[in-house]
């Protein structure tokens, strides 16, 4: 996390997990992906996590509620930096990449 207090991990078991960086203890597990999670990143404010999975979704998770707040289907991975903040509108954006199908 931006404040260095938490670590987020991606895994083959479809889970996103948040850990206490000092103690190494698990803070919470975020469930929803249907395949391996390949990329995770905290948002700039540290209040949310963005995850990209082989299930072709990118999901945004609220850490306080431990719930998915957004899902973008048809994408492969979130890019780093995954979030771009617009200070004039306070809107948050993230970039995704899709793999085009070959025919």
């Amino acid at each position: 996390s931006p404040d260095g207090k938490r670590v987020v991990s991606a895994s083959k078991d479809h889970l996103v997990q948040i850990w206490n960086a000092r103690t190494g203890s698990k803070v919470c597990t975020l469930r929803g992906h249907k395949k391996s999670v390949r990329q995770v990143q905290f948002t700039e404010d540290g209040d949310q996590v963005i995850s990209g999975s082989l299930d072709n979704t990118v999901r945004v998770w609220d850490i306080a509620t431990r719930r998915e707040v957004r899902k973008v289907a048809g994408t492969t991975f979130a890019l780093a930096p995954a979030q771009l903040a617009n200070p004039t509108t306070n809107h948050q954006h993230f970039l995704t990449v899709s793999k085009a199908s070959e025919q």
Side-chain angles (χ1 to χ4, degrees):
S1 59
D3 63 7
K5 294 180 180 179
R6 296 168 294 185
V7 175
V8 63
S9 64
S11 65
K12 290 182 179 181
D13 61 4
H14 315 177
L15 302 176
V16 175
Q17 297 189 53
I18 300 175
W19 307 86
N20 181 302
R22 187 178 56 80
T23 66
S25 61
K26 189 183 326 178
V27 174
C28 68
T29 300
L30 306 172
R31 292 177 171 84
H33 284 293
K34 306 298 183 209
K35 293 188 178 181
S36 296
V37 181
R38 300 295 302 263
Q39 189 172 27
V40 290
Q41 182 174 333
F42 283 99
T43 56
E44 188 175 279
D45 60 11
D47 292 337
Q48 297 178 328
V49 167
I50 300 171
S51 59
S53 169
L54 293 179
D55 66 6
N56 294 328
T57 65
V58 171
R59 298 171 192 245
V60 181
W61 308 89
D62 182 272
I63 297 170
T65 64
R66 300 177 183 183
R67 297 200 182 273
E68 178 186 300
V69 295
R70 288 187 192 94
K71 177 172 85 171
V72 180
T75 62
T76 305
F77 300 105
L79 286 178
Q83 177 179 298
L84 305 172
N86 183 337
T88 60
T89 61
N90 201 27
H91 290 124
Q92 298 175 345
H93 308 277
F94 58 94
L95 302 174
T96 63
V97 177
S98 295
K99 181 178 179 182
S101 61
E102 296 181 19
Q103 298 183 359

